[in-house]
Amino acid sequence: MLRTPDSVRAREDFRHRDRGGAGAPGGPGPGGRFGRRGWTGPSTGRTGDRVLRATTKTAAVGVSAMVAAIGVFLAWRAVPALQRNEANFLTSHEWSTTDVAHLAFGIADLLALTVMVSVFALALAMPVSFGIAVFVTRYAPRRLAGPVAYVVDLLAAVPSVVYGLWGLLVLAPALEPVATWLNSTLGWLPLFAAGSGSVAGGGTVFTAGIVLALMIVPVITGVTREVFLQTPREHVEAALALGATRWEVVRTAVLPFGRSGFIGASMLGLGRALGETMALYMVLQTTSAAFGWSLFDSGASIASKIALGYAEFNNELQAGAYIAAGLVLFALTFVVGAGARMIAARGNGGRR
Amino acid sequence: MTLATDARVAPVRAATFVPTSRRRRCTDGAARILVWASVAVALVPLAWILWTVTAKGLPAVASSTWFTNSLSGLSATTPGGGVYHAIIGTLLQGLVCSVIAIPLGISVAVYLVEYAGASRLGKVTTFMVDVLAGVPSIVAALFIYALWVVTFGFDRSGIAVALALVLLMVPMVVRSTEEMLRIVPTDLREAAFALGVPQWKTIAKVVLPTALPGIVTGTMLAIARVLGETAPLLILVGYAPFINFDLGSGEMGTLPGLIVDQMNNPGAVGADRMWGSALTLIGMVAILSIAATLLARRSTVRGGR
């Protein structure tokens, strides 16, 4: 903390410490009780200390530099292509980048499909994740809670390319009766109307969304579980003392405490879904038809479009079109991620 | 988890005073069923995936040449060959990525825990690590393409993939290391300081060794995670069916790359290779994860939970 042997700075640091306590929930964490105050350290000024501090600090600055570089380089490489774009980048549905002299690309359909498949996946994953988190923290017999949490984490360890493979070749055929039934029974709803993809053949937003939901369940569950575990014991016991059933304990004690954490976790999962590439690349069928907001539409998401375009990455301008799309995806995940952090922070900060 | 036991006792006690109404009992029962169902909803597909991959991949993996041969010179429909080239490629790229990402990630974590305190740089860095953790792999790949290939003029190669993987791995290493460093008891640091040990030596000889098993665990899980990354491969290196030890140039086979490549090979041979590669990849991830879990059990530092 003490970068210069400057008494003013040392005092400032000291004040920070007094106010914040600056520690992990478990007590005054390292750097809390034992601040690296200039006057305490047995060490300041030694070569070894200066070297280690400078090294680690450089690494820390390096992370910020990396993130900044991502934004800067993507923007820099996207601009030439965007300047020569003959279509409106945000509102156009077409994507023709093969003719470098007449670039015309827009992300309207890609963005719509990305949002729809992610929201659909989130709608499926949220209740399931909530259920698992509640199960692990409140319902499971002690012998089951640990293993179940561990196995759900395993879902995150399966590589996305395997999810894609399974989704395309195993899940899609198995879902055919369900998809057909939804389409024939609820087809009057635009959501279940016959879209640009084949209902029976899979390769639709429907199949992709289910695969995606599986992939984000462990993300949401992991965070939610941690938050639910921290429910104040007194709240739970108070509810029990009033004769609450197990579900009423969840509803009256766990949920009010953990709601913002759960929502933050869900947004984290949404961010992951927005950027997921391989599962969509493999499951979704490409189509030239416009996107119509049906679950049985096909097409490409921003990420899978970029992956599909790898063969065109020979020319700087062609690549620029995909880089522009990537920049939008980066901005989108950034905004969603920031939202997730804000919600989670508000939840923790507002608590007594 | 301890709380669960309390909940089990309680409703019974309450019922001895006032009988729980039928409606409340029904709601409770319905909730219980839904909660158990949601666990099943998540576990059934996992079991299904693992079973499918094992059943369909085993014939290929069981062949004698699977781990010793490459697919060099074999046509799409000729049986035989193996994935030696792809395992080499995956491991080499993972190795280069680890060599860069692990020291970097641990340094950042050491800075955050030991030096940053409440400083602005600490907060900014934590934020940036979060942002980096949310960067989709395809965006990381595009960035390396824009930087490494377009701006610096290098060819697409294994090293470009490794660089993209670094971006994905660093936040994972930072987070797990940070968590382990934070549970190293402050008393240990104070004891070292009281003996007049310089801070850098305290970190190097006391704090890091204490947290080491946990750090290794987290790092191994991070490696396992990046080995399965596929999106960077599509953009940053071409797939090659032969052995290429040179990360600096040329196409390179990898297990995920092999899966995607064989997807376009509709015959039975292609399907065998595809599922076999998937099984091999999952096996590699599983070995790393299990080793990491075993190591975590031996950890000397215990978390609060």
Side-chain angles (χ1 to χ4, degrees), chain B:
Chain B
M1 250 167 272
T2 47
L3 299 185
T5 39
D6 305 329
R8 196 160 23 174
V9 181
V12 185
R13 288 264 177 273
T16 52
F17 296 111
V18 185
T20 313
S21 77
R22 199 186 147 88
R23 192 183 55 80
R24 287 176 57 207
R25 262 184 293 139
C26 287
T27 314
D28 190 47
R32 179 185 309 263
I33 291 168
L34 284 176
V35 164
W36 279 86
S38 60
V39 175
V41 161
L43 297 192
V44 166
L46 178 67
W48 192 359
I49 290 173
L50 294 181
W51 186 82
T52 306
V53 172
T54 312
K56 296 197 177 195
L58 214 49
V61 175
S63 95
S64 58
T65 53
W66 183 255
F67 289 108
T68 53
N69 284 24
S70 76
L71 289 173
S72 176
L74 290 171
S75 83
T77 51
T78 320
V83 294
Y84 181 70
H85 64 297
I87 294 179
I88 291 293
T90 297
L91 288 180
L92 277 180
Q93 287 170 13
L95 185 73
V96 171
C97 164
S98 306
V99 165
I100 303 171
I102 293 173
L104 189 59
I106 292 181
S107 301
V108 174
V110 166
Y111 176 77
L112 286 177
V113 177
E114 306 293 331
Y115 292 114
S119 71
R120 174 165 299 201
L121 180 60
K123 280 180 198 150
V124 170
T125 305
T126 307
F127 176 77
M128 287 301 181
V129 169
D130 278 351
V131 171
L132 205 54
V135 169
S137 56
I138 192 88
V139 171
L142 276 182
F143 164 63
I144 295 298
Y145 180 83
L147 177 77
W148 189 254
V149 180
V150 178
T151 307
F152 292 168
F154 291 103
D155 282 338
R156 296 191 219 176
S157 64
I159 200 105
V161 177
L163 289 176
L165 296 182
V166 166
L167 291 172
L168 306 172
M169 188 166 167
V170 162
M172 293 190 243
V173 176
V174 173
R175 279 179 174 174
S176 59
T177 307
E178 205 187 336
E179 200 169 306
M180 294 319 292
L181 291 180
R182 284 199 196 281
I183 59 175
V184 172
T186 314
D187 300 351
L188 277 182
R189 296 182 179 85
E190 289 177 351
F193 290 151
L195 292 171
V197 180
Q199 193 184 352
W200 70 272
K201 222 170 201 171
T202 308
I203 294 170
K205 298 261 164 120
V206 177
V207 178
L208 282 175
T210 313
L212 192 63
I215 295 175
V216 173
T217 304
T219 307
M220 285 169 78
L221 291 175
I223 296 173
R225 198 62 59 81
V226 296
L227 287 187
E229 281 294 345
T230 317
L233 298 171
L234 290 178
I235 292 179
L236 294 172
V237 69
Y239 168 77
F242 48 82
I243 298 166
N244 175 13
F245 284 106
D246 187 0
L247 281 161
S249 70
E251 302 176 320
M252 204 169 189
T254 51
L255 285 169
L258 178 57
I259 296 173
V260 175
D261 180 66
Q262 293 298 320
M263 252 180 76
N264 304 320
N265 180 1
V269 175
D272 266 7
R273 286 179 187 157
M274 189 168 66
W275 288 108
S277 310
L279 181 59
T280 313
L281 182 60
I282 286 192
M284 274 167 63
V285 172
I287 289 172
L288 274 169
S289 308
I290 292 168
T293 315
L294 290 180
L295 252 166
R297 289 229 179 102
R298 297 179 50 188
S299 169
T300 44
V301 189
R302 290 268 169 218
R305 329 185 228 281

Side-chain angles (χ1 to χ4, degrees), chain A residues 128-155:
Chain A
V128 172
S129 305
F130 176 79
I132 298 172
V134 168
F135 177 83
V136 170
T137 54
R138 310 251 26 125
Y139 276 73
R142 190 184 279 248
R143 272 178 301 124
L144 264 184
V148 166
Y150 179 74
V151 172
V152 170
D153 283 343
L154 274 188
L155 272 174

